[in-house]
Amino acid sequence: DPNMKAGAANEGVLANFFNSLLSKKTGSP
Amino acid sequence: VEKNTILGKTHEFFQMCDIENKGFINRRDMQRLNSWLPLSAEELENVFDTLDSDGNGFLTLEEFSSGFSAFLFGRRIS
């Protein structure tokens, strides 16, 4: 199902985004 | 306490994106994150579209927080 695949890809991108925000936050003094 | 922590983080991240303090995030704000987040412009566009659930081109704190919850709990919370 292409829609399901797109959904899963979006979740991955979202996770990447929030993980980056979290690491930026904890990485800064 | 944990709920407050999550709320606090949500606000904090929202403000990191909404640097002009408009109360919403638009595509331009999202693209600006490209300079300090390890995500491509295309990925940021994708993040914006995923979070902008009503597709109006503005990301509210509510939409942002719903996306953050989805990330934290591994599923979308309406």
Side-chain angles (χ1 to χ4, degrees):
Chain A
D1 184 349
N3 283 339
M4 266 182 73
K5 274 186 191 164
N10 283 348
E11 292 298 316
V13 167
L14 213 59
N16 202 356
F17 172 71
F18 284 117
N19 274 324
S20 302
L21 280 179
L22 281 167
S23 64
K24 283 284 168 188
K25 198 59 210 166
T26 49
S28 59
Chain B
V1 174
E2 200 160 289
K3 196 180 170 188
N4 284 339
T5 310
I6 294 170
L7 275 176
K9 283 276 165 223
T10 309
H11 266 269
E12 215 173 296
F13 291 158
F14 188 82
Q15 278 165 354
M16 281 160 85
C17 301
D18 178 21
I19 53 170
E20 289 154 351
N21 208 18
K22 302 182 293 300
F24 61 85
I25 299 166
N26 58 26
R27 281 182 197 276
R28 209 173 121 241
D29 295 322
M30 198 54 109
Q31 291 302 330
R32 235 184 329 227
L33 301 179
N34 183 240
S35 56
W36 56 276
L37 286 182
L39 276 88
S40 69
E42 195 187 332
E43 283 170 324
L44 287 167
E45 184 86 359
N46 213 330
V47 168
F48 188 88
D49 287 335
T50 308
L51 291 176
D52 184 20
S53 49
D54 61 5
N56 68 352
F58 299 104
L59 216 58
T60 61
L61 179 61
E62 200 177 46
E63 287 169 325
F64 189 85
S65 117
S66 156
F68 189 46
S69 301
F71 159 70
L72 286 176
F73 302 109
R75 63 193 169 90
R76 188 158 294 280
I77 296 167
S78 50

